[in-house]
């Protein structure tokens, strides 16, 4: 997979892309991560990439020419690229969208700054608009890093155990169950006995129940009761009585 990031501040990505899973995935040849300063594509004699908005108003707006030219240059001729605009008005980013992006041959992520983008970029260049949440950041760089990380870890072979990505929170439709490791007792705090039993059926049932309970307590809107078993629905009824 190839991921291209268009940014006015490419140095921001050096540390992130050179560490941990992202570094290993590149070394394994699973992904190619590239950062391009789209200012270098400006035809303005002062290399400007922004200008005042027509009609007046506060702030500056990114002009279309450098971004159009940069996207057209980095787009691979034989790949159907998804061109993603990072912006507050975009679709909220989810694990489902990460899984969708992970199936693509190429992603091109555009990081904005200033007051916004010329609307022609939105309408005639990008395929997706993505927002990390209902808040505003200085630029799109942090959002791009999140997308790159969340997509790369889904590529087969990126993690030490491919099952890890399949059982993550949100991937399974619920939050992940509690996790424990050695020692079995720490400062008087003990690991649940069922996890030490070696009984795989009981352990799996415990994990399912704890996953559902954690989701019920923290993110109840994620639960689709019609997809639950009768037993799981009974668990929820009991938890509601305890509230």
């Amino acid at each position: 997979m190839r991921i291209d990031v268009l940014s006015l501040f490419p140095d921001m990505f050096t540390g992130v892309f050179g560490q941990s899973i992202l570094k290993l995935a590149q070394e394994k040849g699973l992904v190619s991560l590239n950062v391009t300063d789209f200012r270098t594509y400006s035809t303005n004699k002062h290399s400007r990439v922004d200008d005042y908005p027509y009609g007046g108003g506060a702030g500056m707006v990114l002009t279309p020419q450098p971004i159009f030219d940069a996207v057209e240059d980095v787009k691979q001729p034989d790949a159907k690229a998804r061109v993603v605009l990072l912006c507050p008005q975009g679709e909220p980013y989810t694990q489902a969208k990460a899984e969708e992006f992970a199936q693509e041959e190429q992603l091109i992520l555009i990081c904005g700054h200033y007051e916004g983008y010329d609307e022609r970029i939105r309408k005639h260049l990008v395929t997706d608009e993505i927002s990390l949440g209902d808040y505003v950041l200085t630029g799109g760089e942090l959002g791009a890093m999140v997308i790159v990380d969340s997509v790369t870890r889904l590529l087969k072979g990126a993690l030490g155990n491919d099952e890890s990505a399949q059982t993550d929170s949100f991937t399974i439709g619920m939050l992940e169950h509690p996790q424990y490791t050695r020692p079995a007792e720490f400062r008087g705090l003990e690991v649940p006995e069922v996890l030490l039993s070696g009984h795989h059926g009981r352990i799996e049932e415990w994990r399912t129940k704890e996953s559902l309970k954690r989701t019920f307590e923290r993110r109840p809107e994620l639960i689709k009761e019609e997809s639950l078993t009768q037993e799981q629905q009974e668990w929820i009824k009991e938890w509601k009585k305890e509230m």
Side-chain angles (χ1 to χ4, degrees):
M1 184 180 190
R2 176 178 171 126
I3 303 179
D4 288 272
V5 180
L6 305 185
S7 168
L8 295 174
F9 302 95
D11 289 346
M12 290 181 65
F13 296 86
T14 302
V16 175
F17 286 3
Q19 303 291 327
S20 188
I21 297 299
L22 297 183
K23 178 183 179 182
L24 293 174
Q26 292 175 85
E27 291 175 347
K28 292 178 181 178
L30 304 176
V31 65
S32 171
L33 303 180
N34 311 278
V35 186
T36 299
D37 183 351
F38 62 83
R39 189 184 299 277
T40 61
Y41 288 84
S42 174
T43 57
N44 180 278
K45 64 179 180 179
H46 300 297
S47 297
R48 288 186 58 176
V49 295
D50 63 314
D51 212 329
Y52 294 102
Y54 279 125
M60 304 292 280
V61 176
L62 286 170
T63 59
Q65 177 271 315
I67 294 178
F68 267 78
D69 286 0
V71 168
E72 290 165 358
D73 190 38
V74 302
K75 186 180 290 186
Q76 298 300 285
D78 298 326
K80 186 179 180 181
R82 294 280 285 269
V83 182
V84 182
L85 196 67
L86 280 301
C87 65
Q89 302 98 318
E91 170 189 349
Y93 193 55
T94 63
Q95 183 66 21
K97 182 59 71 171
E99 292 170 1
E100 183 182 322
F101 283 165
Q103 303 303 313
E104 300 295 332
E105 295 180 23
Q106 183 182 16
L107 289 180
I108 301 175
L109 309 177
I110 305 174
C111 305
H113 271 267
Y114 312 116
E115 189 64 25
Y117 303 91
D118 185 291
E119 190 66 15
R120 288 165 290 192
I121 297 171
R122 298 181 191 276
K123 288 188 173 181
H124 304 289
L125 184 64
V126 307
T127 59
D128 302 85
E129 294 185 43
I130 293 294
S131 168
L132 288 192
D134 295 337
Y135 49 87
V136 180
L137 298 172
T138 303
E141 282 75 16
L142 295 178
M145 293 175 194
V146 169
I147 292 176
V148 171
D149 184 275
S150 60
V151 168
T152 299
R153 67 189 307 280
L154 292 173
L155 301 179
K156 187 174 179 59
L159 301 180
N161 183 346
D162 287 330
E163 186 180 343
S164 296
Q166 299 170 13
T167 58
D168 282 338
S169 294
F170 306 110
T171 296
I172 59 175
M174 294 186 290
L175 301 184
E176 191 174 22
H177 56 76
Q179 298 275 17
Y180 294 88
T181 188
R182 294 177 177 84
E185 185 273 332
F186 174 71
R187 296 186 179 180
L189 306 173
E190 297 183 348
V191 172
E193 184 180 347
V194 63
L195 298 179
L196 308 176
S197 68
H199 192 296
H200 297 296
R202 288 178 56 208
I203 291 173
E204 189 59 35
E205 180 182 16
W206 180 88
R207 286 176 170 170
T208 300
K209 187 173 184 177
E210 291 298 316
S211 176
L212 182 58
K213 186 176 184 180
R214 178 161 289 183
T215 308
F216 171 77
E217 292 173 341
R218 302 183 183 186
R219 295 292 302 277
E221 76 279 6
L222 296 176
I223 297 176
K224 297 179 174 57
E225 294 204 24
E226 66 275 9
S227 66
L228 302 179
T229 66
Q230 184 63 41
E231 183 181 29
Q232 290 169 345
Q233 292 178 20
E234 291 298 325
W235 292 342
I236 290 180
K237 289 179 182 178
E238 290 300 317
W239 296 330
K240 286 181 178 179
K241 291 178 183 179
E242 297 171 1
M243 294 178 65

